[in-house]
Each structure stands twice: as C-alpha cells, then as structure tokens.
Amino acid sequence: MKKFLLLALFVIILLEVFAQEKNKQATLLPNGWSLTPAGQSLPLGDLPLNICIAPNKKYLVVTNNGQSTQSLQLIDIKSNRVLDTKEVGKAWLGLAFSADSRFVYASGGNDNWVYKFIISNDKLVISDTLRLNNDKKNSLSISGMAMNDSKKKLYIVTKGDHSLYLLNTETKVIEKKIVLEGEAYTCVLSPDGNTLYISCWACDQVIVIDTKKEEITSMIKVGDNPNDMVISKDGSLLYVANANDNSVSVIDLKNNKLIETLNTALFPNAPSGSTTNSVALNEENTLLYVANADNNCLSLFDITTKGNSKSKGFIPTGWYPTCVRVYDNIIYVSNGKGMNSLANPNGPNPYQRKQKVTYQKADEKKPQEVQYIGGLFKGTLSIIKAPNEKELATYSMQVYANTPYSKYRENTSSTLNTIPAKVGDVSKIKYVFYIIKENRTYDQVLGDISGGNGDTSLVLFGEKVTPNQHALAKEFVLFDNFYVDGEVSADGHNWSMGAYATDYLEKTWPTSYGGRGGSYDAEGGKDAASNKNFIWDMCSVSNISYRTYGEF
C-alpha cells in the first residue's frame, strides 16, 4: 500500500511539474488547453477531414470541408509542398485513388455526385462527374469511399439516405444500392477485395459486405460513434476508432469477433471526451497511431502481440486532429482547426451597413473579409517523423503539460469560494439559474463593465441595449473569463449543456452553416449528434430537482 501511495504521489508531482514547464512557444486555446504540435506544419484549408495517400506514394490528397471555401489539395510527399488547390462547391470526407494513382475520386457531399480528377502535371484536373442520382431535393450526403480497380467498382457510403452504392466507374452506372441501418462514415476493402467493411456512425456497428454476393453478411457491435478504420496488411485485423468512447475496437476478421478494446484517453477511466476519430498503421504493422481530436494528440500502441496491445505514449498535434496517415516512418496529421484561435473584430457586425467600408490597405479596393467565426480557423497538416523511445517520452510529457485536465483533480476544487472543495461536501449553493444567450461574445455585450476583463472597442450591445443583462452581471456574477469550445450555436449548445460536442456534430455543422445542404442536427435533433449526458441527465441521476425552459 505504501509503495502504491508513493507512486501515486510521484505521478501527481510529475504531472504538476509538466504543467508548470509548458513550452514557452505553446499556443493557449480559449478552453485552457495548449498546443505544441510535433514536427512541421503545412497550411491547409477550412476543416480538413481526410487524407488519402496515392498508391505510388508520390502524392497525398486532402479534402477541406468547412463552412467557408471547400477544396481539395494535392501535396507532394517528397518535398511536402502543396502542388495544387482545387476549389469545389461541395465536398465531404470521401477520397479514393485508382490503383495506378492517375485518378482520385472525391465526395461531392450533398450534390449527390462524386468528382473524378486526373492528376496531370502536378495539378488536379476535373475529368468527370459521377452522379448517384439527379434528385436535388433528397440529399444523399456522400461520405466515405473505397476503390476496387480490378472490378472497376467504386463503393460509396452515405449518411443522408443510410446506404451503400456500387458504382461502375467505366459505365458510370449504379449497379446496386444496399440500405444500411444508420448514417455511414466510411468503408474499407479487405486486401483481397472480397469483403467491404462499413463503419455505421449512428448505429455503433461495423457492417460486413460480401463483395461477390453483394449483400450484408454480418454486423459487428463496436463502440459509440465508430468512424475511421484501418485493416492490417495481412487482412486479419480491423481497427475501428470510436469517437464517444475514447477507444479503438480491434476485430478478428477471420471470426468477425471483437477481441480487444484499446483505451486511447490520457488517463484510465477518464470520461468520454477524447474524441477518438482516426487510425493508421505503420508499414510493419507493429504500431497503431490514433488521433484524439479533443485531446489534440495522437495515442500510440504497440500491436505486435495479437489481443495484447500496449500503450506506448502520446504525440502532440495541432488543434482537433481529424485524420492520421503513415508512410515511410512519416506521420501525417490533418488538424481540423489549425494552430490557434482568432478574434473577429471585423464582424459579423449588425451595424455594418451603417459603418464605412474598411479596406485591407489604402491602395486596395477589395473590402476586408468578414471574420465569421464558423470559417475563421484554417487547418494545418502536421508532418512528423516517427519518434524513437526517448523522443516519444518527451512528446508524452508535452501532451500532459498541454492539458488542464487530470484524473486526480476530478473530485477536488482548487478554488477558494462557495464551491465545495471535494465532491460530496456540503454546498452553500441552494439554487442555480443557468441562462443562455447565444451568438455574442463577452466583449460584444459586457465589455463595457468596468473591472471586467473586457475590450471596450469590441462592444456592440452595451448597457444601453442590454440593461437587464448588465444588471444581472453586476448584482450576481461577472463571467469575464469563462471559455468553452463552441464556435456556433450547433456545437455551442452541446458544450454549454454537456461540456462536449460529438465528432458527428463538429464535422457536420459546417456543411449546413455553409449553405451546402444537410440538416441542423444539434440541440437534440439527432442521436449521433447528442452527448451521452447533459446537465439535466446528471441532475436526474443525482436526484436533484430541476426545470428546463425550452432548451433542446
């Protein structure tokens, strides 16, 4: 027992030291986390969601699927240069190369078609548009894809109409449609091409398709919100990332049986929130890399012993890593929100029409871009050399230093106020009134209150416009340093009510907010977009009475 206590004390002290020794070059995010990405960074577009490496290992393609401009980017692997950026009207996640690396197929999102590009002179040149149907009213929401060149067949899964489409790339005919049980995320082919595996985002299963019979043969239960997948080189194991469980499911494909569940979180028994959303294997199939979007890091596992994987450590990335791929001991990570948070003094401003138009430079006629929060953060590509044991230890220490959360602090409070010092202690608080008013920042409404940490130059709706809010803030409490991760209403409500926004929500709201179709799935609109628990759920579990007025 004494040894255990000493070890626990040592771990606590070590974590405190890590926290105090944060890299001075770290970027501090609004949610209290810091970024110290490993390797070098390459600028990408708005919300990169997927990376696809060409079979010839010469190129990789990235799809950017944010609220603002959507695009595909062609990157040279040898020089780490962006060779071409092709803007598209609509795109989402799906990418697949032909076996000869000449063509790349990309999801057209809610336009119900697939783009076919040819790579010519290091450029992406549109070659064809392969339509799934011409029904503009019903969005299929094309997501993941897999290419089988020998059969001239492209397998396409959708989250709109919950289906698998079998498209002949020569005749451009849909040869078959198979209805699935829920929204699909992506699909991968077995090495022999005889089996297709589909991650059912909304039904928490992997759907197995016999590509010869072209029918569903089985369904394998995995974790909550399964998304990205990777198959071992010999085709014996399938690794499935589960976003809402901090986990990866390991499936024995000979028996279609779950044999292991890997915990990807920073601490054992940590609550859901790491957002495990991408997986990749090294070429030797001895290491598994896992992207944890909300921990801003990769988890690394030694998988040499089947069914007995071992956690090796962590690698820091940029903000919200959405995809990880590995080639030649180089790790490629797309960071969905890039490197930092940004202020938006240039709008949106409801008084803009009354103001003089501002320009970027005195000699330019182009108006300054409105800094709408939904499209403000630009993604990056982290390019990281696979670390040795010593480097991985340093990286792991940095990941822990970057996080304000730690398991041992969960049940205590360091604040010297009315909040109980420990969970279970008697509270002086009798009633809590939780009022949400969305769409404005602290500075825009309460920045004129003296004594608060505000910027008066950003005030839009000061005390003359919002006297009641000002009166409440002055009489009770001024939340002048309260920060969360929500950028817009969709994820903001989930963060405010449940301290989390699911991968489904984070990856889909930019599409609808950008006017590219899709529905508003937040605020209880869809199960896959909802947290496991909201504040009223916790009240109910704890036998605390509550009332809610219209939220969700």
Side-chain angles (χ1 to χ4, degrees):
M1 178 62 77
K2 288 182 179 180
K3 288 183 179 180
F4 175 78
L5 291 174
L6 286 172
L7 179 61
L9 181 62
F10 172 74
V11 171
I12 291 171
I13 293 172
L14 198 60
L15 289 173
E16 292 288 1
V17 170
F18 293 164
Q20 293 169 13
E21 295 297 322
K22 284 188 177 181
N23 190 322
K24 293 182 180 180
Q25 302 301 315
T27 299
L28 180 64
L29 298 178
N31 57 15
W33 292 64
S34 295
L35 296 178
T36 56
Q40 67 181 95
S41 293
L42 197 64
L44 295 177
D46 187 357
L47 190 63
L49 287 185
N50 196 7
I51 303 169
C52 190
I53 298 177
N56 65 7
K57 313 302 182 186
K58 184 178 180 181
Y59 305 105
L60 61 83
V61 172
V62 175
T63 179
N64 298 298
N65 310 138
Q67 181 273 337
S68 58
T69 302
Q70 296 196 342
S71 65
L72 299 176
Q73 290 180 288
L74 181 68
I75 298 171
D76 181 82
I77 287 180
K78 187 175 181 180
S79 64
N80 293 329
R81 287 190 306 118
V82 176
L83 300 173
D84 193 22
T85 298
K86 187 69 63 178
E87 290 188 14
V88 294
K90 299 174 187 176
W92 201 81
L93 188 78
L95 291 172
F97 266 100
S98 60
D100 60 8
S101 301
R102 290 185 63 228
F103 298 99
V104 62
Y105 299 88
S107 163
N110 291 310
D111 271 338
N112 297 351
W113 63 48
V114 173
Y115 302 105
K116 182 182 180 181
F117 290 92
I118 186 171
I119 299 177
S120 177
N121 297 320
D122 291 340
K123 299 290 183 183
L124 289 167
V125 180
I126 190 70
S127 170
D128 206 347
T129 302
L130 309 176
R131 297 179 181 273
L132 270 63
N133 68 33
N134 294 311
D135 187 354
K136 295 182 180 180
K137 292 183 179 179
N138 296 312
S139 171
L140 305 183
S141 296
I142 296 169
S143 47
M145 300 185 296
M147 181 68 194
N148 189 329
D149 271 277
S150 62
K151 295 182 178 180
K152 306 296 180 186
K153 202 160 290 185
L154 187 64
Y155 298 96
I156 304 164
V157 294
T158 65
K159 56 187 174 63
D161 69 338
H162 310 172
S163 297
L164 165 67
Y165 288 82
L166 281 61
L167 174 66
N168 188 305
T169 55
E170 282 193 340
T171 64
K172 296 188 281 190
V173 172
I174 299 295
E175 295 182 344
K176 192 164 185 177
K177 173 185 174 181
I178 300 174
V179 177
L180 310 174
E181 287 196 6
E183 292 91 337
Y185 187 85
T186 194
C187 56
V188 292
L189 268 173
S190 60
D192 60 13
N194 293 330
T195 313
L196 183 76
Y197 301 94
I198 302 169
S199 55
C200 187
W201 212 1
C203 63
D204 300 344
Q205 298 184 89
V206 170
I207 300 170
V208 183
I209 304 287
D210 184 322
T211 58
K212 292 181 178 179
K213 297 179 180 178
E214 296 184 346
E215 62 183 30
I216 297 174
T217 56
S218 62
M219 300 180 71
I220 307 166
K221 181 69 177 175
V222 288
D224 197 347
N225 276 28
N227 43 69
D228 196 33
M229 301 180 290
V230 65
I231 297 180
S232 61
K233 189 179 294 185
D234 63 4
S236 65
L237 296 172
L238 176 70
Y239 298 87
V240 185
N242 304 308
N244 289 355
D245 282 344
N246 304 343
S247 72
V248 171
S249 296
V250 184
I251 299 171
D252 181 345
L253 295 183
K254 183 178 181 181
N255 303 302
N256 284 342
K257 182 180 179 181
L258 179 69
I259 61 169
E260 193 176 11
T261 300
L262 309 182
N263 183 350
T264 65
L266 299 180
F267 298 90
N269 301 315
S272 61
S274 294
T275 314
T276 307
N277 76 151
S278 188
V279 284
L281 294 166
N282 67 344
E283 291 178 87
E284 295 77 22
N285 276 222
T286 57
L287 297 174
L288 176 72
Y289 295 90
V290 185
N292 288 325
D294 277 304
N295 288 346
N296 308 318
C297 75
L298 302 179
S299 293
L300 180 57
F301 290 87
D302 180 337
I303 56 168
T304 51
T305 304
K306 182 177 178 180
N308 190 27
S309 303
K310 293 180 173 62
S311 175
K312 290 181 63 67
F314 303 93
I315 301 174
T317 66
W319 194 0
Y320 207 84
T322 55
C323 184
V324 57
R325 299 291 181 255
V326 181
Y327 166 64
D328 195 25
N329 285 321
I330 301 296
I331 309 161
Y332 300 93
V333 183
S334 59
N335 303 298
K337 300 184 183 184
M339 279 295 296
N340 58 353
S341 177
L342 298 170
N344 60 336
N346 294 321
N349 187 335
Y351 300 125
Q352 218 160 18
R353 293 179 182 177
K354 300 178 183 179
Q355 297 173 337
K356 293 181 179 180
V357 177
T358 57
Y359 296 91
Q360 294 175 1
K361 293 181 181 178
D363 59 344
E364 288 184 355
K365 293 183 179 181
K366 185 180 179 181
Q368 194 151 358
E369 181 183 0
V370 174
Q371 296 172 312
Y372 175 56
I373 190 68
L376 202 58
F377 306 146
K378 304 306 179 188
T380 60
L381 180 71
S382 290
I383 303 169
I384 309 164
K385 183 180 178 181
N388 57 34
E389 294 292 332
K390 185 177 179 180
E391 291 168 334
L392 183 59
T394 302
Y395 282 154
S396 298
M397 290 169 64
Q398 191 61 60
V399 168
Y400 280 111
N402 289 343
T403 171
Y405 165 79
S406 60
K407 188 67 182 175
Y408 71 89
R409 291 191 191 130
E410 229 176 48
N411 296 317
T412 61
S413 170
S414 60
T415 55
L416 300 175
N417 53 30
T418 54
I419 298 174
K422 295 180 181 180
V423 170
D425 285 359
V426 177
S427 174
K428 296 179 182 179
I429 300 171
K430 188 173 182 180
Y431 299 110
V432 174
F433 294 86
Y434 192 9
I435 303 168
I436 293 179
K437 182 171 170 52
E438 63 164 311
N439 287 338
R440 290 298 157 197
T441 67
Y442 170 87
D443 290 310
Q444 290 172 338
V445 180
L446 301 175
D448 58 349
I449 295 182
S450 61
N453 183 18
D455 185 343
T456 56
S457 69
L458 298 176
V459 176
L460 294 179
F461 303 101
E463 189 165 12
K464 290 184 180 179
V465 183
T466 56
N468 291 337
Q469 283 183 257
H470 279 69
L472 285 168
K474 289 176 180 178
E475 185 172 351
F476 294 101
V477 62
L478 182 65
F479 274 176
D480 58 344
N481 284 288
F482 181 69
Y483 306 99
V484 296
D485 264 355
E487 282 114 42
V488 297
S489 301
D491 59 345
H493 279 270
N494 279 48
W495 275 106
S496 299
M497 299 278 78
Y500 181 61
T502 68
D503 68 314
Y504 184 98
L505 193 55
E506 291 279 20
K507 293 177 180 179
T508 57
W509 71 254
T511 297
S512 61
Y513 271 63
R516 296 179 174 90
S519 56
Y520 184 81
D521 297 328
E523 300 183 55
K526 188 167 287 186
D527 286 345
S530 293
N531 302 7
K532 285 187 172 183
N533 293 294
F534 290 104
I535 192 169
W536 45 80
D537 298 315
M538 303 312 294
C539 286
S540 180
V541 168
S542 302
N543 295 316
I544 295 174
S545 61
Y546 67 93
R547 290 185 183 184
T548 176
Y549 296 86
E551 186 72 355
F552 288 35

